[in-house]
Amino acid sequence: TKLIIRPGTKIYLAENVSIISYSPIEALGTRDKPILIARINSDKNWGSVAVINTDKKSKFDYITMIGGSSSEKINGVVFTGMLAAHKAHLYVYNSNFYKDGDDDAINVKYGTGEILNSGFYDMQGDAIDIDYTDNFIISKNTFSSIGLGIDGDAIDLSFSNDALISQNNINPVSDKGISVGEKSRSEI
């Protein structure tokens, strides 16, 4: 199965509400019909859009996410990103992320993928946090006002191999523009 979110779809989530898929997600908006996932209440953060335990690619194109946070423990897993992939592959293009309420805008664990031509604005913590990945590509993104609530990195790599990070615009950020730690190897 596959969760498909059609172009032009608008989803408004209440406080702490998450969308968790054990199948790949295909959310392919267009320039004229972007997909929106946002808060139903402007001052209450929703949880995560998360993909877990699938070897197929999840694809997001022309999507805007505003005000996601993270999830409480769901089926034994804590998702720390507004958009999260655990043991899943994540491909994000031409998308924008605003005002996360917790650790990360995007968090990927034990997968691969790419994040290209996207923007990250007014983040509380990290914009992109990649853990235990191989061959991940992060390119041509814009990062602005990262780490407003806690020290945050634009891009944070942990235990990841052979990441390619290129042509990103990062300014300002409260901690590191690019953090390569915990035995990670990358080409920047």
Side-chain angles (χ1 to χ4, degrees), residues 1 3 19-25 48-58 60 71-79 83-90 107-111:
T1 60
L3 172 58
I19 297 171
I20 309 297
S21 178
Y22 288 84
S23 300
I25 296 176
S48 295
V49 172
V51 184
I52 186 169
N53 293 336
T54 178
D55 59 357
K56 297 198 167 81
K57 295 179 181 179
S58 288
F60 294 81
S71 72
E72 298 293 322
K73 189 179 270 190
I74 297 173
N75 293 342
V77 179
V78 176
F79 300 99
L83 176 58
H86 286 233
K87 295 184 181 178
H89 309 299
L90 183 67
N107 179 262
V108 179
K109 289 182 172 64
Y110 301 103

Side-chain angles (χ1 to χ4, degrees), residues 164-178:
L164 173 61
I165 301 170
S166 68
Q167 302 176 348
N168 294 288
N169 183 353
I170 302 170
N171 186 26
V173 61
S174 68
D175 198 3
K176 293 174 262 329
I178 302 171

Side-chain angles (χ1 to χ4, degrees), residues 123-126 144-154 170-177:
M123 297 290 126
Q124 291 297 306
D126 296 335
S144 181
S145 298
I146 307 301
L148 298 174
I150 56 175
D151 282 343
D153 304 324
I170 302 170
N171 186 26
V173 61
S174 68
D175 198 3
K176 293 174 262 329

Side-chain angles (χ1 to χ4, degrees), residues 29-71:
T30 66
R31 184 183 307 272
D32 296 330
K33 292 183 178 180
I35 295 168
L36 173 68
I37 300 176
R39 302 173 181 141
I40 197 165
N41 298 312
S42 63
D43 61 341
K44 305 279 185 185
N45 292 325
W46 50 275
S48 295
V49 172
V51 184
I52 186 169
N53 293 336
T54 178
D55 59 357
K56 297 198 167 81
K57 295 179 181 179
S58 288
K59 298 177 186 175
F60 294 81
D61 197 4
Y62 288 103
I63 188 165
T64 296
M65 291 188 175
I66 305 168
S69 183
S70 63
S71 72

Side-chain angles (χ1 to χ4, degrees), residues 25-26 29 75 78 87 97 112 114 140 150 158 178 181 183:
I25 296 176
E26 182 179 281
N75 293 342
V78 176
K87 295 184 181 178
F97 300 85
T112 192
E114 24 186 68
K140 299 181 181 174
I150 56 175
S158 298
I178 302 171
K183 300 181 182 180

Side-chain angles (χ1 to χ4, degrees), residues 101-153:
D102 203 354
D103 286 349
D104 313 313
I106 295 179
N107 179 262
V108 179
K109 289 182 172 64
Y110 301 103
T112 192
E114 24 186 68
I115 302 169
L116 307 175
N117 301 312
S118 295
F120 299 84
Y121 309 96
D122 303 322
M123 297 290 126
Q124 291 297 306
D126 296 335
I128 299 174
D129 192 333
I130 307 297
D131 304 315
Y132 301 98
T133 66
D134 291 313
N135 303 307
F136 210 96
I137 299 172
I138 301 170
S139 184
K140 299 181 181 174
N141 300 294
T142 300
F143 301 87
S144 181
S145 298
I146 307 301
L148 298 174
I150 56 175
D151 282 343
D153 304 324

